Amino acid sequence: MFPIRDHNPSGRTPYVTYILMAANIGIFLSYVGIMQDARLINAFWLDWALIPARLDAGQGSYTLVSSMFLHGGWMHLAGNMLFLYIFGDNIEDEMGHLGYLLFYGAAGVAAGWMQYLSAPGSTVPMVGASGAIAGVMGGYLLLFPKAKVDILIIFIVFFRIFPIPAWIMLAVWFALQFVGGFGADPSAGGVAYWAHAGGFAAGLVLAVPVWMRRGGPAFWTRTDGHPPHPEARYRVARSSIPKVGRRRPGKGRGPWT
């Protein structure tokens, strides 16, 4: 279940979302050339990635922020930027540019602390913007639970795009992170499930004041759980390839073989 777009264009240009995306991409490009050199990349992670054991020793508190702009590979970066692009603009529109930036940073720091608490002595470096982006998704769930999100479902050779309410996609995603957190060993590396779950929960809580200022349940009633903008509608373009009719045997120049 892979989200590819929502139906909710923002009412203003999401400058902060674009700046965050540019920063993540630019920083990744600045060190991607050393990723094949184990000595150099490990030294880089040691300086800038979030390593729970360092926090446990009272060191490297700045990595709670710096780790949010690092990624372990092209697909890691691409997936995070897609999620940020889909969900970030509406949250920025609702919170304002500065408020959204503070919200994003706070959710990312909360995600880092949650990962630290799950394995304080771990020496495995944590990198990625997904904790902060999970916070954006948590805020989106609270503010726009019925917004339409197009998801791509892939099952072996079958794939299809379905529009579903945001709350279904986000609730399933959060449940997977929560369950995954109990089934994984944070000290062994892999997906930082607890960072995702912690960031999501933090974003949900941090969005409550905005939701209350908009009227709380009355905001949902007024907007029907959608962003307060006209909904975008998508349709698959018709193919420009001409259709060829089948000839019957005995007519025209002969049967088709």
Side-chain angles (χ1 to χ4, degrees), residues 16 44 57 65 79 105 115 128 170 200 205 208 224 244:
V16 173
F44 183 79
V65 175
Q115 186 65 19
L170 295 172
F200 190 96
V205 171
V208 168
D224 193 32
V244 179

Side-chain angles (χ1 to χ4, degrees), residues 188-207:
V191 178
Y193 289 109
W194 286 118
H196 294 172
F200 190 96
L204 191 63
V205 171
L206 290 169

Side-chain angles (χ1 to χ4, degrees), residues 13-242:
T13 303
Y15 292 112
V16 173
T17 297
Y18 292 159
I19 290 170
L20 289 170
M21 292 176 67
N24 277 280
I25 295 169
I27 290 172
F28 178 76
L29 292 176
S30 74
Y31 68 82
V32 67
I34 68 170
M35 292 192 69
Q36 301 305 314
D37 188 317
R39 182 181 62 83
L40 291 178
I41 195 63
N42 286 334
F44 183 79
W45 293 149
L46 183 63
D47 287 338
W48 301 107
L50 191 158
I51 301 175
R54 288 191 68 194
L55 292 182
D56 207 34
Q59 302 172 356
S61 57
Y62 65 89
T63 61
L64 287 163
V65 175
S66 63
S67 62
M68 294 162 51
F69 294 91
L70 308 178
H71 290 83
W74 288 104
M75 293 305 296
H76 187 200
L77 174 69
N80 277 347
M81 294 305 97
L82 175 63
F83 274 69
L84 180 57
Y85 178 76
I86 291 174
F87 297 108
D89 59 338
N90 294 120
I91 299 298
E92 182 175 351
D93 196 16
E94 207 62 40
M95 295 185 173
H97 303 307
L98 179 59
Y100 170 69
L101 180 61
L102 295 174
F103 168 84
Y104 180 93
V109 170
W113 276 117
M114 188 65 181
Q115 186 65 19
Y116 160 74
L117 292 172
S118 70
S122 173
T123 58
V124 176
M126 187 192 84
V127 297
S130 51
I133 296 169
V136 173
M137 294 163 65
Y140 198 100
L141 175 62
L142 177 65
L143 296 173
F144 316 120
K146 293 184 180 179
K148 281 186 181 178
V149 177
D150 284 348
I151 61 168
L152 176 64
I153 292 182
I154 302 175
F155 182 73
I156 309 177
V157 297
F158 168 82
F159 63 92
R160 187 171 179 181
I161 296 173
F162 293 92
I164 63 172
W167 73 266
I168 296 178
M169 181 259 152
L170 295 172
V172 169
W173 184 89
F174 176 72
L176 290 174
Q177 308 313 305
F178 195 74
V179 172
F182 283 107
D185 179 3
S187 64
V191 178
Y193 289 109
W194 286 118
H196 294 172
F200 190 96
L204 191 63
V205 171
L206 290 169
V208 168
V210 176
W211 179 65
M212 292 300 294
R213 283 199 301 272
R214 298 294 188 274
F219 177 67
W220 285 341
T221 301
R222 190 166 64 252
T223 64
D224 193 32
H226 294 75
H229 312 295
E231 181 179 296
R233 298 185 180 276
Y234 304 107
R235 65 178 182 178
V236 178
R238 297 183 63 181
S239 173
S240 60
I241 301 174

